[in-house]
Structures are given as structure tokens and as C-alpha cells.
Amino acid sequence: MNPTIRQRFLGQSWLVLWGVVLSPWSEASDLLNVWQAAQQHDLTYQAAAAGHQAGATQKDQASALWHPTVQASGTEGRMSSQSQIQGAQFSAPGFFPATNNANFNTSINGGLLQRWSVQGRQPLISGDRLAQGRELDLKSQVAELEWANARQDLILRTVQRYFEVVLAQEALRVARQQTLAVERALAEVQRKFELGDVPVTDTHEALARREAMRAQVLAAEAEVQMKQQALGDMTGMNPEELTLAAPYDGVLPTVGASLNDWLTDASSHNLQWQEKSLQVEIARQEAKRYGALASSSVDLVGEVDSDHLTGSGNYGSASNTLRTSLVGVQVTIPLYSGGMRSAHQDEKTFLARQVEAESEQVHQLVLLSTREAWLGVTTGTQRAEALAHAMTASDDRVNSTHLGQQVGDRSTLDLLNAQSEAASTRLAWLQARIDVLINRLRLSALGGHLTDADLLAINQWLSLPPADLAGSNSSGLLPTVVTPHP
């Protein structure tokens, strides 16, 4: 990690952790409970855990390539054997001189064969095994990076789905508040219409808006159910029983360093970029396995064989026993493979070039995403502040429009439009604050150092809805005063 980023990040994390310990609001730990549950139930994370365990075995495989191997085999069955030797010289004690042009014939038809063999091999020199071992070591490192990346991804997905439920519930609450406001406006318009103070069009506009809000409530309810189900599938928890929190107040986190520092950090420590770089080297090792130097090998070999065949043949009963043993050095040099090895080497070379291009593409995307996340935090904070002021203006507009509607200067439609715009502004404000938190986490993930401490830090900016949101004011606005934590 870049030293500047590390120093600022660790200092901010400890400050945040201390704030979490001292925070009087305990319900924010629900986010941590969701994270703990996600580690136990999320299927993507469980698959990554299994892949990590499988990848760890590749180091053992690389080491085993240079260990001796021993294998034994045995065969028993029926076998026929015919042998003819002509023009042989025969000599034995008591026979002198030696007999020339001797013939030896043996025959066993359907005899009993008993065969066993024990073979051992110790690799000494092998370019193929050297490249294969290096490839397995690299794959083991890739598995470690994939596991670390899966953990970061789970943190991001957990927070994302948590806040998706928060926003869906907030949108539903606002829609219900707007429906109540429309109901009150409709009742007031109908009363005034009966007194002859407003035209019938105001009644029609209020009725149309009420039905539209009812449809919006139904859509919001469906959205809440879908987001809750997604969170429940990830965690195995019942989201309806959780007290979800949101960043309603407090000073939002900062980037902690310059954009260039974060770009440098991402170039050096981004997990996806490191993983892709290792895959480039793996592809190169694959190509080396089919090179001329890698094709030859030197092995220390040992072998013991025994063949025993008994039965009867054309010349009566017979028995044939053959036992051999061997210890030596075996040199293997492929001379011609029909072009198969060179074709494989060309294939792997082109695939290596493909992975190199993909690696550069990943690098570009990482830098682009880092820039996007950095701007998401910096400009997002400013956007949230601007929307906070916009909420104040929207609240004032609702109040003035309501007053104007009472004296006849504004119509019911003007009031309902003002309320709708105020509600949209409030939701946009909450979305902007949530986006800042998520982009801050993304920035840490792109730098390769997103940990549980970051998740703890998120709780510093989470709280239950302010008390005045429990009511149902006409605008449905959040408080415009943004108070930082002490």
C-alpha cells in the first residue's frame, strides 16, 4: 500500500473503530451481523472457499513432481507360447566338442501365466516438470488472490444489498407518507369544492394523484420484498426482523489521499490486476512445456520383473521362468512427434499473448474504476451537501405552496407536485450519502486492502431514522440539519 494512503487510512480506521466502541447506538451492529451471516450462507463465497482449498493443494502437486514414484503390477491368466531356435550352438558338461546347427523348440498351449513387476523412477532433469511445477506454484498464488478478492467482494455485496433494502424501505415509507398527504389534500379539496371555493378540476387532480400514489405504494412494496429476499438468500436471515440503519447524519468519510496516490496503490496492490499478471506467467510456462529443451528428460530408474509360465504343449509338459532386474539412468529425447509438440507450443504462445492483452485491459479498467470511485467519494460528498440544501428549499416550497393553495394563489396540483419533488429530493439525498460510503469501500477494495475494519467503519455513519421521521409531515422531508458525530 502507498505509505501516504496507509498512514491516513490506518489513522482514520482507528478513529472510526474508537467511535464505534463509544457509539451509544448498538443497533448499527446489525450490519456486522449480516456480514457474519453472509460468510456462512452466501453460495458464491462458499464456492470461493472450496476453490481456495483446492488451490492450496497445487503447491503439494508441484513438490510431488520431483519425488520418486514406485508402482507395482501383477497379472495372472492363460497364455500360449511357441519358440523355435535353429542353427544354435549347444555345449554342456560331458558333451565335447560343441554341437553346431542345434535346434531348440518349446511349446506351451494355454498355460498358466503369473507375472509381476515393480518399477521405480526418480526424475533428475526435466524441463517439462520444471515448467509444470512453476505453473502449479503460480496457480496456488492465484487461488490465494482469488480467495482474498472473494472476501472483498462479499463485503461489497453485503453492504450493497443491505443498503438496497434500506433504500427500498425508505422509498416505501415515503410513498406511504405521500399517499397520506394526498388523502388529506383530497379531503380538503372535496370540502372546499362543496363550499364552491375550488373548481372541480382540483378534485379530479387530487383523485388522479391518489390512485397514482396507490400504484406507487404497491410497486414499492414489491421492491422491498425482492430486496429483502435477495438479502435473505445471501445471509439466511430474516431481513424483516432486522433493524436496518442508514447514514442519516454525520460527516461522510473522505478519500484520505490524492487521486495519484490511489492510482499508484491500485497499480501495485489491486488483487484482480495481480491475479491477471500471474495468469500471464502461467500461460508462458504452459508454452515452455512444449519447447525443445523441455521435451528431453533424465530419470533414475529401477525395475524388477518376473514371468512364470507352466503348462503342456507339443513336446510334453513345460515350464518357463524369466526374471530381470534393472537399475540405471534413462535419457528420453523425443525425435519426431508429427508436428504435435510444435503445434501445441504455437497454441500456448498465442494464448499467452491473449492473456497479456487481457491483463493490460484489466489494468486499464482498475485505474478507471479507481478514478471513478475516488470521484464518487469526493463529488458525492459535495452532491449530498447540495441535496441537503435542496431539501431545505423543497421544504420551504411545500410550505409556501400550501399557504398559497389555502389563499387561492396555488392549485392542488401545484401542492402535490411540490410534495412529490420534495420526496424525490430526500430519496436522492439518502442515495447520495449511501453512494459515498459504497464508493469509499470500493476505493479500498481497488487498492487491495478492504478488510473487516472498513465494515466496522461503516457503522460510524449509520443510525436509525431521526425521531421526526416517525411522524408524517406533509412533505415527508428528512431533517435538513446534518450533524456530525462528536
Side-chain angles (χ1 to χ4, degrees):
M1 186 187 300
N2 184 283
T4 303
I5 296 178
R6 180 185 296 274
Q7 181 178 4
R8 295 181 183 178
F9 176 76
L10 290 178
Q12 185 184 53
S13 295
W14 280 111
L15 179 62
V16 166
L17 288 175
W18 183 248
V20 170
V21 172
L22 297 180
S23 175
W25 182 68
S26 60
E27 286 82 353
S29 62
D30 278 346
L31 178 57
L32 303 181
N33 294 336
V34 170
W35 156 243
Q36 295 294 335
Q39 295 180 71
Q40 303 297 324
H41 294 87
D42 183 71
L43 296 180
T44 302
Y45 189 69
Q46 297 302 317
H52 175 244
Q53 293 173 343
T57 65
Q58 292 177 322
K59 278 188 174 294
D60 296 334
Q61 296 177 39
S63 177
L65 288 172
W66 297 99
H67 292 172
T69 58
V70 179
Q71 64 179 18
S73 62
T75 304
E76 183 171 337
R78 293 291 177 177
M79 179 177 176
S80 296
S81 174
Q82 302 286 336
S83 67
Q84 294 181 350
I85 300 177
Q86 297 179 352
Q89 184 184 72
F90 176 76
S91 63
F95 288 88
F96 186 81
T99 302
N100 296 326
N101 296 322
N103 298 331
F104 296 93
N105 298 321
T106 62
S107 173
I108 298 178
N109 299 322
L112 177 64
L113 172 67
Q114 294 177 324
R115 174 182 295 168
W116 59 268
S117 174
V118 178
Q119 300 174 339
R121 180 180 298 270
Q122 171 62 58
L124 299 178
I125 301 174
S126 175
D128 178 73
R129 289 176 183 268
L130 189 64
Q132 188 178 358
R134 176 60 178 160
E135 180 184 342
L136 288 169
D137 282 334
L138 291 171
K139 286 183 176 179
S140 177
Q141 295 177 40
V142 169
E144 290 293 333
L145 290 174
E146 288 177 343
W147 173 242
N149 192 50
R151 188 172 181 83
Q152 289 194 152
D153 178 68
L154 182 62
I155 293 177
L156 289 174
R157 287 189 296 111
T158 300
V159 174
Q160 183 72 40
R161 291 194 178 180
Y162 182 93
F163 283 138
E164 284 177 354
V165 176
V166 169
L167 286 171
Q169 289 178 339
E170 186 66 20
L172 175 58
R173 192 187 64 79
V174 170
R176 287 173 174 170
Q177 280 191 351
Q178 285 188 275
T179 301
L180 292 175
V182 172
E183 292 282 0
R184 289 195 298 268
L186 176 59
E188 185 177 354
V189 167
Q190 288 176 337
R191 181 181 61 81
K192 289 184 177 182
F193 173 70
E194 292 173 357
L195 297 176
D197 292 338
V198 297
V200 70
T201 54
D202 281 16
T203 304
H204 294 163
E205 290 169 353
L207 283 171
R209 184 59 61 92
R210 183 188 65 180
E211 297 306 316
M213 288 309 307
R214 287 179 175 177
Q216 185 174 337
V217 168
L218 292 175
E221 289 175 347
E223 183 71 8
V224 168
Q225 292 179 8
M226 292 301 299
K227 298 305 183 183
Q228 286 181 336
Q229 184 63 48
L231 183 61
D233 291 342
M234 171 185 282
T235 62
M237 304 173 71
N238 184 1
E240 296 180 358
E241 299 177 356
L242 294 176
T243 304
L244 303 185
Y248 290 107
D249 60 5
V251 178
L252 292 173
T254 62
V255 290
S258 68
L259 176 58
N260 288 334
D261 288 337
W262 279 107
L263 292 175
T264 301
D265 195 47
S267 295
S268 303
H269 302 98
N270 180 267
L271 299 180
Q272 291 180 330
W273 164 239
Q274 293 182 47
E275 178 185 335
K276 207 64 179 181
S277 299
L278 289 178
Q279 289 176 352
V280 171
E281 187 60 29
I282 290 173
R284 291 172 179 169
Q285 295 298 326
E286 281 276 359
K288 286 183 179 180
R289 291 182 59 185
Y290 296 96
L293 296 178
S295 60
S296 303
S297 63
V298 179
D299 301 296
L300 177 65
V301 296
E303 184 175 348
V304 178
D305 300 294
S306 175
D307 278 13
H308 181 62
L309 178 63
T310 59
S312 60
N314 299 335
Y315 312 104
S317 299
S319 176
N320 186 2
T321 300
L322 175 64
R323 288 187 175 88
T324 60
S325 59
L326 166 68
V327 175
V329 176
Q330 176 178 306
V331 179
T332 303
I333 303 176
L335 299 179
Y336 182 66
S337 64
M340 180 62 73
R341 292 189 66 87
S342 61
H344 273 302
Q345 186 179 25
D346 291 341
E347 176 195 10
K348 300 303 181 182
T349 300
F350 288 125
L351 289 176
R353 294 177 184 175
Q354 177 185 354
V355 177
E356 288 176 4
E358 293 174 350
S359 176
E360 288 302 317
Q361 184 181 24
V362 169
H363 189 206
Q364 291 178 356
L365 292 175
V366 165
L367 295 181
L368 182 61
S369 298
T370 301
R371 188 182 300 273
E372 180 184 15
W374 190 88
L375 291 173
V377 176
T378 55
T379 62
T381 302
Q382 298 172 3
R383 180 171 179 266
E385 292 176 354
L387 287 171
H389 293 297
M391 284 193 301
T392 302
S394 297
D395 194 16
D396 293 340
R397 181 191 175 193
V398 169
N399 294 332
S400 61
T401 304
H402 186 235
L403 180 60
Q405 189 251 0
Q406 289 179 336
V407 299
D409 292 337
R410 292 289 186 269
S411 67
T412 302
L413 180 60
D414 293 333
L415 176 60
L416 296 179
N417 287 337
Q419 291 173 341
S420 177
E421 181 180 342
S424 298
T425 303
R426 183 178 65 77
L427 286 176
W429 173 82
L430 183 58
Q431 177 73 69
R433 290 179 64 84
I434 288 176
D435 288 344
V436 170
L437 298 185
I438 293 178
N439 279 314
R440 185 59 181 82
L441 291 179
R442 287 182 59 222
L443 199 57
S444 295
L446 289 165
H449 47 72
L450 179 62
T451 64
D452 295 11
D454 297 271
L455 199 61
L456 287 171
I458 288 294
N459 281 323
Q460 176 70 5
W461 290 280
L462 300 184
S463 62
L464 292 175
D468 56 345
L469 286 185
S472 56
N473 55 42
S474 61
S475 64
L477 287 174
L478 284 172
T480 56
V481 179
V482 182
T483 306
H485 287 293

